[in-house]
Amino acid sequence: TLQEDPEIEVVGEAADGVAAVEAAGELQPDVVLLDVSMPLLDGIDAIPPVLERAPDTRIVALSGFGADRMAEAAIAEGAFSYLEKTDDVQSVRNAVRAAASAA
């Protein structure tokens, strides 16, 4: 998990897209790992308001759906990068680190 990586500090979690937007605004994290499939507000639709409330935050979108369609949508909305849920934990950690380095 991300918490096991000494270079990554997890500062918050959200159960749905609305809570993710609120948490990003309050916490102003360097990186948000955002699931594309969330209740109340899906991850793609959550990207613009997250960036509006936390403009210096980089978003790594994570999805179990087909990469081409969802990746294009996530990047078009402002995500820094896109991963599939089938990617291994190290790939997720690397993506979070890369996003943090760009922040």
Side-chain angles (χ1 to χ4, degrees), residues 11-35:
V11 297
E13 293 184 26
D16 60 64
V18 172
V21 170
E22 291 174 7
E26 291 173 18
L27 299 169
Q28 298 293 308
D30 293 331
V31 179
V32 170
L33 183 61
L34 192 61
D35 192 335

Side-chain angles (χ1 to χ4, degrees), residues 87-101:
D87 289 341
D88 61 24
V89 173
Q90 193 57 45
S91 295
V92 176
R93 289 176 180 164
N94 290 343
V96 168
R97 280 193 211 98
S101 295

